[in-house]
Amino acid sequence: MGIDLHRLALHAIDLAADELSLDAWLRAVLHQPERAVAVQVPYVDDHGEMQVVTGYRVAHSTARGPAKGGTRFHPDVTAEEVAGLATLMSVKTAAMDLPLGGGKGGVTIDPKRLSTTELESLTRSYTRAIASGIGPYLDVPAPDVNTGEQHMDWMADEYARVTGVAAPAVVTGKSLAAGGSLGRDTATAAGCRAVVLASAAKMGLPTDARVVIQGFGNAGAHLASMLAAEGMRVVAVSDSRGGVHDPEGLDIEAVIATKADAGSVVEHPGDVVTQTELLGLDCDILVPAALEGAIDADIAGSVRARLVAEAANGPCTFEADDVLTDRGIAVLPDVLASAGGVTVSCFEWEQNLAGERWTAADVAERLERHMRRSLHDVWQVAERRALPLRTAAMVLGVDRIATALEDRAGVRPTELAS
Ligand code: GLU
């Protein structure tokens, strides 16, 4: 899985680099992270025994600002996966025109098997191991798969203890009391909602469009409620145990309650479907909001949506992407559709650095404006260059990074070519 994600990221960079006729040195810079560390993460388990696992932190680019990106706790985390995700973060922050670069971190562990005490020991140990390479003006971690506010609070606190510098801006996605931003918890979903609604309107989809969402974590569950509140019919959702389908539309608040009580959406009344069946259901909008690689070429051949919105990072393999494009299915790429989280992370970082607290309405309004502007920018590139939206978003992001690198180097492409 991990290696594919890195290949996917480099392939996407290459498509953009070809389109922009980038010089070899810029391609080489984009192909390789600025800094990557693999660290030992010892932690104490509940029996008092020491356990040791591996962690990673990759700062792919700081050309446009401090590296920025989440921290993933998952048994499948590898160095390649983290490098690929960090690469995509650089393009994501650039396509969103945030004053940040790209990074990512992770620990190879199944956190669902750990108690809270063990998780705290693990998170603090990981933070100590990467502390010398992170900082408010260097590399700023955030939540990702299986991490949230609590982990970020532990990371900020451990960083302060190790360095003696109480700098909340060292991580984002913190609890409000620890310097978090209002709206960060629902930001990925809110960002995706904004670009889905604008795209649905542009494509002339019905206002009660049928939506299928794969993944019912932070992004998927909030997005399901938000789209249902807009009058769309969420006809199927899934989590790691499987999916539930009701062609008339599910009562999302009831599904959220079922998941909280019984542990999975499959316990909710409705037809139980497998992940593959879910991805092939008849609908208008399909939202992969789980892990990367969920849609391969075979599955792409059976997708029956008009719009695919990538709320997860890298959910479509590049073969799948080609199949979807050939079949005339529009894909809102991850660098745009999943960028709400990092955008509000940027707002949190700005608030921390300025010692400010913005209101929930202010955050929501800025996010909506930012998402719509970036969608517009991507559409413009797509229309002018006759490109699919993913390549257009990559071109936009890569061009901005390349421009920053050229300006820093004090060179212009023409001078380099001579
Ligand atoms: N993990 C999220 C992402 O992949 C958020 C990163 C951040 O907030 O820095 O975009």
Side-chain angles (χ1 to χ4, degrees):
M1 179 167 88
I3 292 168
D4 284 344
L5 202 276
H6 199 194
R7 267 181 61 222
L8 177 87
L10 296 184
H11 177 78
I13 293 263
D14 284 342
L15 286 182
D18 290 345
E19 182 66 30
L20 292 162
S21 307
L22 278 197
D23 284 309
W25 76 274
L26 289 166
R27 285 174 194 256
V29 167
L30 291 167
H31 265 241
Q32 198 179 325
E34 281 178 21
R35 183 177 55 245
V37 291
V39 294
Q40 208 180 56
V41 185
Y43 69 96
V44 184
D45 71 14
D46 286 343
H47 308 289
E49 303 283 329
M50 198 65 121
Q51 303 292 336
V52 188
V53 292
T54 309
Y56 305 93
R57 184 74 201 171
V58 174
H60 171 262
S61 172
T62 58
R64 304 181 76 255
K68 187 83 194 78
T71 309
R72 161 174 304 206
F73 288 177
H74 195 276
D76 295 337
V77 163
T78 61
E80 291 83 2
E81 181 193 44
V82 176
L85 290 164
T87 309
L88 289 177
M89 286 307 298
S90 298
V91 182
K92 193 189 288 195
T93 56
M96 294 300 297
D97 206 11
L98 302 173
L100 296 167
K104 203 78 168 197
V107 178
T108 313
I109 185 107
D110 181 0
K112 293 184 178 146
R113 300 165 78 100
L114 266 55
S115 69
T116 306
T117 328
E118 290 171 331
L119 270 178
E120 177 170 3
S121 173
L122 173 87
T123 308
R124 288 184 181 277
S125 175
Y126 171 65
T127 309
R128 286 193 296 279
I130 62 166
S132 59
I134 61 173
Y137 294 106
L138 182 59
D139 181 4
V140 184
D144 196 73
V145 175
N146 291 330
T147 60
E149 278 182 11
Q150 176 65 81
H151 306 82
M152 297 307 115
D153 287 357
W154 286 328
M155 287 184 79
D157 184 52
E158 195 63 26
Y159 179 82
R161 285 165 190 252
V162 173
T163 61
V165 181
V170 67
V171 295
T172 59
K174 302 176 294 292
S175 67
L176 280 180
S181 174
L182 286 163
R184 176 63 184 84
D185 49 347
T186 52
T188 306
C192 191
R193 170 194 167 277
V195 290
V196 164
L197 293 181
S199 306
K202 190 174 161 88
M203 292 170 67
L205 297 184
T207 47
D208 66 343
R210 291 157 310 151
V211 182
V212 169
I213 301 181
Q214 184 210 29
F216 211 63
N218 182 41
H222 286 304
L223 183 65
S225 330
M226 288 174 185
L227 294 181
E230 292 296 329
M232 290 189 171
R233 279 174 296 154
V234 181
V235 294
V237 297
S238 71
D239 58 28
S240 56
R241 282 179 51 198
V244 60
H245 177 217
D246 180 347
E248 299 305 314
L250 294 159
D251 174 347
I252 293 304
E253 299 317 311
V255 180
I256 291 173
T258 305
K259 170 126 178 137
D261 294 345
S264 171
V265 300
V266 294
E267 305 294 340
H268 194 78
D271 304 331
V272 173
V273 287
T274 64
Q275 298 290 356
T276 309
E277 286 164 352
L278 178 115
L279 294 166
L281 287 173
D282 191 15
C283 64
D284 300 297
I285 303 170
L286 173 63
V287 184
L291 286 170
E292 60 257 25
I295 302 183
D296 61 17
D298 277 353
I299 294 175
S302 62
V303 165
R304 284 193 281 165
R306 287 186 54 201
L307 175 67
V308 173
E310 295 186 329
N313 287 302
C316 295
T317 65
F318 54 79
E319 293 86 357
D321 209 33
D322 289 345
V323 174
L324 293 173
T325 306
D326 289 348
R327 293 184 58 219
I329 298 171
V331 180
L332 277 176
D334 50 2
V335 289
L336 192 59
S338 78
V342 73
T343 303
V344 176
S345 269
C346 181
F347 298 164
E348 179 176 334
W349 175 74
E350 288 173 348
Q351 289 172 77
N352 291 159
L353 292 177
E356 290 176 0
R357 291 255 187 210
W358 303 349
T359 64
D362 197 10
V363 171
E365 194 265 323
R366 286 178 196 237
L367 174 63
E368 173 96 19
R369 200 164 9 113
H370 217 94
M371 296 302 306
R372 284 179 179 264
R373 192 176 57 213
S374 300
L375 179 66
H376 174 78
D377 290 349
V378 170
W379 262 330
Q380 273 206 326
V381 175
E383 277 163 14
R384 277 199 203 127
R385 292 178 178 256
L387 294 172
L389 292 174
R390 181 189 313 282
T391 318
M394 295 301 295
V395 164
L396 186 66
V398 166
D399 188 38
R400 286 181 177 150
I401 303 169
T403 305
L405 287 166
E406 284 166 357
D407 285 354
R408 276 182 171 198
V411 291
R412 291 282 154 204
T414 44
E415 291 167 69
L416 273 176
S418 62

